[in-house]
Amino acid sequence: MTRKTQKQNESQLEKIVIERTQKIIGLQKRIEFILGATKTGLDIIDKNFNVVYIDPEWKKVYGDPTGKKCYEYFMGRDKTCQRCGIKKAFATKLPVVTEEVLAREGNRTIQVTTIPYKDENGEWLVAEVNADITEHKKIEQALRDSERQIREITDMLPVVVYQYQFMPDGTQKFIFVNKATKNIFGLRQDEILKDFSKAWSKILPEDAPLVFESIKKAVEEFKPWAHDFRLRKKNRKVVWIQGRSIPKKIEPDGSVIFYGTLTDVTEHKTQEVQLEKYRQHLESIVKERTKKLALSESYYRELFKFAKESEEKFKAIFSKARDGFLLADPITRRFYMANKTMCQMLGYSEKEMVRLAVDNIHPKENLSDIIEKFEEQARGDISLITNVPVQKKNGAVIYADINTAQIFLKGKRYILGSFRDITERRKIEAALQMSEDNYRSIFETASDAILIRDIQTYKTIDANRAACEMFGYSKEDMKKLYIKHFMTDETGYTWKEAENFYKLAADGEPQLFEWLGIDKAGRYFWVEANVKRAVIGGKYRIISMLRDITERKRLVTMKDNFMNTVSHELRTPLAAIKEGISIVVDELEGEVGSENKNILNVVKKNVDRLNRLIDDVLDFQKLESGKMPFRLKKHNINEVVEECCQVMGGLVREKKLSLTLDLDKSIPSLSFDKDKILQVLLNFINNAVKFTEQGNITIVTRSEGKWIKVCVRDTGIGIKPEDLPRMFKKFERIESATGQNTGGTGLGLPISKEIIEKHGGRIWVESRWQEGSEFYFTLPLNKKNGVKNAEKNTYS
């Protein structure tokens, strides 16, 4: 070679080096741009916790890391963190995910993914990818706290607390109930919420029409509902239920929402019935005896004795009642008698109570209205007044429902008042209102766009601030729009196609998908949509949580382009190297010594291995991103097995193993991608050869119902029980029988798993240490269970 030619070659080589260097610098800048755009931090740490690399955005915040440990640089500590993910990653050689709080950045919460790897010198390092999850954690905690508080409050109560909806067509349903439904109805919460008729069927047939009419009247007048009715429990026992509720709002569709309680008042009703029975009996006796009073003095004494006995019975029932009872003069409003429960409720003794009147047990500011209601009760115009403030002896105010009846004692008329303390019920109603207010606050301040839609028409019922900003409409305009107004006319992304997702969500199946949206100005942008059904305002609604991912999609495209570039930049020189080695080994350019030829063959094998590693990584990327094409055609699985055996026969014979086929000839042809299934079988057999030193490898096919099953069985070293869960994980490599690592990317089995699952089948392994292993997969005989539209060569 002349000096001139040598200089030309050196100049050409220098030019190539400069070009490659510029490309590498360009790729590095792209990566740093992607990290900055996605607000993701990246750093690299060595085994001594020294910061080897820090991305530029973090360097702006924390400064130059030279000479500093990672815990000193990021956390301001003088020793490693208590839950150090770096230690664990170095120890296990597996990725570790932890959460950390960055005090120097206003206690920002990040999720740290620590990934161990070897550098070009064989030294172990870890790369840390840090994602900001601060807002996500805050919103999660707020929602959990709000829901937990209201559940804890209501579930401790013995009465049923509920939200109820009455539709214009007369249909009814519960929106919310607490656990007390089990005691009252004998039904669980989920049973009642799912099917209102189960609860309604418990009402006695003769009471049901009256209950319905009372509810309908409360709805029409938009007034509190109060009605007592009977239920029949599973044990055939009939109980009395006191129903009370307050209307809260009228929905746009005309339905009315009530908040209320249902209380078992069987004992109270039994006492009332007995009291009424004695009262009526006493009245009839008094009338009858009065007419005959003049007949004889002995007859009068007998009547007096009976009346006295009846009064004593009344007093016994009166004193034992669980509700508070007061007997008042309808004219003077003074109390004639009070039971023990009433005295305890207000804090007075019985002697103190009979010195008081209606005017003394109510707050002064409410007294005029209460006296007016008392007079209506005394006249018999009404019997029940609700939410009445009652003042205790110590000045505290409670609230009660007061039900009245007229009663005669010793020939004089009194008003019997039954007091039911509803103070706790009012607190529950207030807590329900507070929960609704909390929901509204979270809804409006959420950073993601949230749309609430009608479950049938998909019309927008409500939209938060972020949704209005995303689509460019005011809240009033948003409420006039349907899903079609937010969708494009692009094929594959029309509102008709999106409607399928909303139908599934309306049936209770949450949907997560990416879609092409359009704003008021006509701008197209990508959104990630999380669509689910939820109860809001007492009705089932569709909630759409939307996040603009246009930038993320752009970055994903950049990543794909980056991978394609890397693939091309690696494969081109490898192809040239392989071809050059082949020319030399084949002695096309002159003789090569046997020793040199052996060295070149080793180099060639490593080039082939590197090509396979690149193919594995790219195949797995395509499978994960859904861009791997599946071409389904009718094939016979036995023929594919036989073809695989021909390919692998040389490798099996080289290790002096035997290969046996046990094929089910009755298996029919079925639809699958022949190349992909062949890849799975080659992977299984290659693993079997690697881990089997002597004996045989058997391939079995069987037809089992709607499936065909394929098994590759070997007599090798087997798999340790602790290694079995790792077999189909990415980048996992199991040691061979000799204790040496077998090489490869650790992607062969994960790729096989993706291929089989895309076909609608299942893949697994069974093994006994020191005895051998069996690798299985199944494929469906019905192609509908396989890859959708695969016969059209579309992507999975």
Side-chain angles (χ1 to χ4, degrees):
M1 182 182 296
T2 65
R3 183 173 296 179
K4 182 179 179 179
T5 304
Q6 184 177 358
K7 285 185 177 181
Q8 288 176 346
N9 289 341
E10 289 176 353
S11 175
Q12 182 67 21
L13 181 59
E14 184 180 357
K15 184 178 179 181
I16 292 172
V17 170
I18 291 170
E19 289 177 354
R20 296 292 170 85
T21 303
Q22 288 175 345
K23 286 184 179 181
I24 291 171
I25 292 172
L27 289 173
Q28 183 178 356
K29 287 182 178 179
R30 289 185 191 178
I31 292 171
E32 291 177 351
F33 171 76
I34 293 171
L35 291 173
T38 56
K39 296 182 180 179
T40 302
L42 174 66
D43 56 80
I44 298 175
I45 312 296
D46 68 15
K47 61 184 179 181
N48 296 318
F49 303 99
N50 295 311
V51 180
V52 176
Y53 170 80
I54 186 76
D55 72 67
E57 293 300 320
W58 269 29
K59 195 170 183 179
K60 292 176 184 178
V61 178
Y62 289 91
D64 187 358
T66 303
K68 294 183 179 179
K69 305 292 185 182
C70 60
Y71 49 82
E72 176 186 5
Y73 181 63
F74 289 110
M75 312 302 291
R77 295 175 177 167
D78 58 0
K79 57 182 179 180
T80 57
C81 305
Q82 187 175 1
R83 295 175 299 170
C84 181
I86 297 174
K87 283 184 180 179
K88 188 173 181 180
F90 274 124
T92 62
K93 301 300 186 290
L94 297 173
V96 177
V97 179
T98 57
E99 288 183 12
E100 296 292 345
V101 177
L102 299 178
R104 293 177 62 184
E105 294 187 52
N107 291 327
R108 182 164 68 99
T109 304
I110 60 171
Q111 184 182 71
V112 184
T113 303
T114 307
I115 306 167
Y117 72 97
K118 281 185 178 181
D119 66 6
E120 64 276 8
N121 297 320
E123 292 293 330
W124 280 99
L125 301 172
V126 294
E128 290 189 316
V129 181
N130 308 277
D132 191 320
I133 58 170
T134 307
E135 292 304 318
H136 176 73
K137 299 289 283 188
K138 288 180 181 178
I139 292 172
E140 267 190 354
Q141 189 58 44
L143 288 172
R144 282 196 299 268
D145 290 346
S146 176
E147 184 176 352
R148 177 180 54 78
Q149 288 173 3
I150 192 64
R151 288 284 179 185
E152 287 178 353
I153 291 171
T154 57
D155 285 341
M156 289 190 296
L157 299 172
V159 301
V160 172
V161 180
Y162 65 88
Q163 283 181 288
Y164 161 91
Q165 185 175 16
F166 187 94
M167 267 66 78
D169 61 359
T171 58
Q172 313 163 70
K173 67 178 180 180
F174 284 122
I175 302 167
F176 168 84
V177 290
N178 64 345
K179 289 183 178 178
T181 56
K182 190 69 177 177
N183 296 330
I184 298 294
F185 293 98
L187 298 169
R188 300 190 310 274
Q189 293 166 283
D190 58 331
E191 293 179 289
I192 289 180
L193 291 171
K194 186 176 181 181
D195 187 358
F196 181 83
S197 65
K198 288 186 176 181
W200 186 263
S201 65
K202 300 289 184 179
I203 302 176
L204 294 189
E206 56 267 36
D207 288 6
L210 298 176
V211 176
F212 184 86
E213 288 302 318
S214 68
I215 295 172
K216 187 177 179 183
K217 183 177 180 182
V219 170
E220 292 170 350
E221 298 176 356
F222 200 70
K223 289 184 177 179
W225 174 72
H227 195 85
D228 296 350
F229 54 94
R230 292 169 293 172
L231 296 177
R232 189 179 298 280
K233 291 192 171 183
K234 286 185 177 180
N235 57 7
R236 310 299 296 172
K237 180 182 178 182
V238 174
V239 296
W240 276 94
I241 302 299
Q242 182 185 71
R244 300 290 184 265
S245 64
I246 300 173
K248 284 295 182 182
K249 64 170 74 173
I250 300 177
E251 295 293 308
D253 61 1
S255 62
V256 180
I257 305 298
F258 285 83
Y259 291 177
T261 59
L262 298 173
T263 308
D264 187 335
V265 293
T266 306
E267 184 177 344
H268 170 67
K269 276 292 184 180
T270 303
Q271 293 167 353
E272 278 190 347
V273 170
Q274 288 178 334
L275 285 170
E276 179 64 17
K277 180 180 178 181
Y278 281 119
R279 185 189 66 79
Q280 292 177 355
H281 183 64
L282 183 60
E283 281 187 352
S284 63
I285 293 297
V286 168
K287 289 178 181 178
E288 181 182 352
R289 298 304 184 190
T290 300
K291 292 179 182 178
K292 299 178 180 179
L293 186 61
L295 295 178
S296 67
E297 183 178 351
S298 61
Y299 194 78
Y300 172 77
R301 287 176 180 173
E302 182 182 347
L303 175 63
F304 180 79
K305 180 181 178 182
F306 184 83
K308 185 176 180 181
E309 290 176 352
S310 297
E311 183 175 344
E312 288 174 352
K313 290 179 180 179
F314 161 76
K315 286 181 178 180
I317 296 171
F318 180 85
S319 63
K320 294 178 181 178
R322 291 176 61 184
D323 284 343
F325 276 95
L326 279 173
L327 211 58
D329 188 309
I331 307 300
T332 65
R333 300 194 292 275
R334 294 188 64 82
F335 300 135
Y336 173 71
M337 192 184 298
N339 71 347
K340 185 178 180 180
T341 304
M342 193 72 217
C343 295
Q344 292 173 344
M345 186 184 296
L346 299 187
Y348 292 101
S349 67
E350 188 174 354
K351 289 183 179 180
E352 289 174 322
M353 285 298 298
V354 297
R355 298 193 190 109
L356 302 176
V358 173
D359 309 44
N360 305 122
I361 65 167
H362 298 284
K364 292 182 179 180
E365 59 269 23
N366 306 107
L367 194 56
S368 59
D369 291 336
I370 292 171
I371 290 175
E372 182 180 345
K373 293 294 183 182
F374 176 82
E375 290 173 350
E376 290 181 27
Q377 289 176 317
R379 293 194 300 269
D381 297 338
I382 61 173
S383 60
L384 174 69
I385 54 175
T386 60
N387 286 297
V388 182
V390 181
Q391 191 164 10
K392 300 171 71 172
K393 183 179 180 179
N394 61 7
V397 175
I398 62 173
Y399 289 82
D401 287 349
I402 306 176
N403 207 350
T404 59
Q406 295 188 37
I407 190 170
F408 288 86
L409 287 177
K410 297 181 179 179
K412 185 175 180 179
R413 185 171 71 94
Y414 292 95
I415 301 298
L416 177 64
S418 169
F419 286 68
R420 172 63 56 87
D421 189 338
I422 62 165
T423 308
E424 288 302 317
R425 189 182 79 192
R426 285 172 57 90
K427 290 179 181 178
I428 293 166
E429 291 170 355
L432 286 171
Q433 185 62 45
M434 182 179 69
S435 178
E436 188 171 335
D437 293 341
N438 290 339
Y439 150 75
R440 175 56 57 179
S441 174
I442 294 170
F443 175 78
E444 289 297 343
T445 57
S447 58
D448 287 342
I450 303 177
L451 294 171
I452 300 175
R453 293 192 170 100
D454 183 85
I455 199 166
Q456 294 177 332
T457 65
Y458 310 134
K459 183 180 180 182
T460 307
I461 303 298
D462 201 355
N464 70 347
R465 173 188 52 77
C468 296
E469 292 175 356
M470 176 180 284
F471 290 100
Y473 295 97
S474 66
K475 181 167 287 198
E476 290 70 26
D477 289 339
M478 292 285 279
K479 292 181 179 180
K480 300 173 185 177
L481 304 178
Y482 296 80
I483 59 170
K484 65 181 180 180
H485 296 104
F486 306 104
M487 303 292 177
T488 70
D489 294 327
E490 294 291 322
T491 303
Y493 296 99
T494 66
W495 74 272
K496 279 290 186 183
E497 291 164 307
E499 198 174 38
N500 295 326
F501 291 108
Y502 282 83
K503 286 179 179 178
L504 290 171
D507 291 335
E509 298 181 30
Q511 301 294 308
L512 179 65
F513 57 93
E514 293 180 1
W515 209 256
L516 197 59
I518 185 171
D519 63 13
K520 185 177 181 180
R523 178 182 71 91
Y524 284 16
F525 59 97
W526 285 97
V527 295
E528 181 181 73
N530 189 347
V531 183
K532 62 179 70 175
R533 184 182 72 184
V535 176
I536 298 177
K539 295 185 70 174
Y540 274 127
R541 302 291 191 194
I542 295 291
I543 297 182
S544 300
M545 289 176 281
L546 309 175
R547 178 172 294 175
D548 190 330
I549 59 169
T550 307
E551 183 64 14
R552 188 175 81 189
K553 294 283 282 187
R554 186 179 71 82
L555 294 174
V556 169
T557 301
M558 288 178 64
K559 186 199 77 171
D560 291 342
N561 292 337
F562 168 74
M563 291 299 295
N564 291 334
T565 301
V566 171
S567 163
H568 179 266
E569 290 298 324
L570 286 174
R571 280 176 165 168
T572 301
L574 284 174
I577 293 169
K578 182 178 179 181
E579 183 62 25
I581 293 170
S582 297
I583 291 171
V584 177
V585 171
D586 295 340
E587 298 182 338
L588 299 177
E589 295 294 331
E591 291 186 6
V592 179
S594 60
E595 184 176 349
N596 290 332
K597 186 179 288 187
N598 289 335
I599 293 172
L600 289 172
N601 282 326
V602 170
V603 174
K604 185 179 178 183
K605 286 182 179 180
N606 278 282
V607 171
D608 291 338
R609 180 170 173 266
L610 187 53
N611 266 318
R612 289 196 300 273
L613 295 179
I614 294 170
D615 289 341
D616 279 352
V617 171
L618 293 176
D619 281 351
F620 195 76
Q621 182 202 4
K622 288 179 182 178
L623 283 166
E624 279 201 323
S625 61
K627 294 183 179 180
M628 175 69 78
F630 281 74
R631 296 174 176 85
L632 298 190
K633 289 185 180 179
K634 288 281 187 178
H635 298 285
N636 187 295
I637 191 65
N638 291 333
E639 293 176 0
V640 177
V641 170
E642 290 170 350
E643 181 179 338
C644 181
C645 290
Q646 292 174 2
V647 175
M648 297 298 292
L651 182 62
V652 173
R653 288 191 294 273
E654 185 180 333
K655 287 198 71 174
K656 299 180 180 179
L657 303 172
S658 64
L659 182 60
T660 306
L661 299 183
D662 180 6
L663 307 180
D664 183 351
K665 299 299 183 182
S666 67
I667 295 177
S669 295
L670 64 153
S671 292
F672 58 85
D673 187 316
K674 178 181 175 182
D675 291 337
K676 299 294 187 300
I677 299 303
L678 187 60
Q679 183 179 353
V680 174
L681 283 167
L682 290 171
N683 202 327
F684 278 11
I685 297 173
N686 188 51
N687 281 343
V689 173
K690 281 183 184 180
F691 292 94
T692 304
E693 295 302 318
Q694 59 182 6
N696 65 290
I697 297 169
T698 305
I699 305 177
V700 182
T701 63
R702 290 289 183 268
S703 177
E704 297 184 354
K706 297 180 179 180
W707 303 87
I708 65 107
K709 183 167 74 174
V710 180
C711 171
V712 176
R713 181 185 301 124
D714 64 62
T715 58
I717 194 66
I719 303 167
K720 295 178 181 179
E722 61 268 25
D723 288 333
L724 282 171
R726 301 165 48 207
M727 295 304 297
F728 295 98
K729 290 185 178 180
K730 294 181 287 185
F731 305 110
E732 292 283 355
R733 296 194 291 271
I734 309 301
E735 290 184 351
S736 69
T738 62
Q740 299 297 318
N741 192 292
T742 58
T745 59
L747 290 175
L749 288 177
I751 289 173
S752 299
K753 183 175 184 288
E754 288 286 336
I755 289 172
I756 295 302
E757 290 181 350
K758 293 294 185 185
H759 278 80
R762 189 167 72 92
I763 189 168
W764 73 97
V765 60
E766 297 175 4
S767 183
R768 296 158 302 282
W769 179 239
Q770 302 290 352
E771 294 182 21
S773 302
E774 296 175 349
F775 283 81
Y776 294 89
F777 69 81
T778 62
L779 292 174
L781 286 170
N782 182 357
K783 72 175 183 180
K784 291 182 180 179
N785 294 330
V787 182
K788 295 181 180 179
N789 301 322
E791 57 270 21
K792 299 180 181 178
N793 294 339
T794 57
Y795 290 110
S796 62

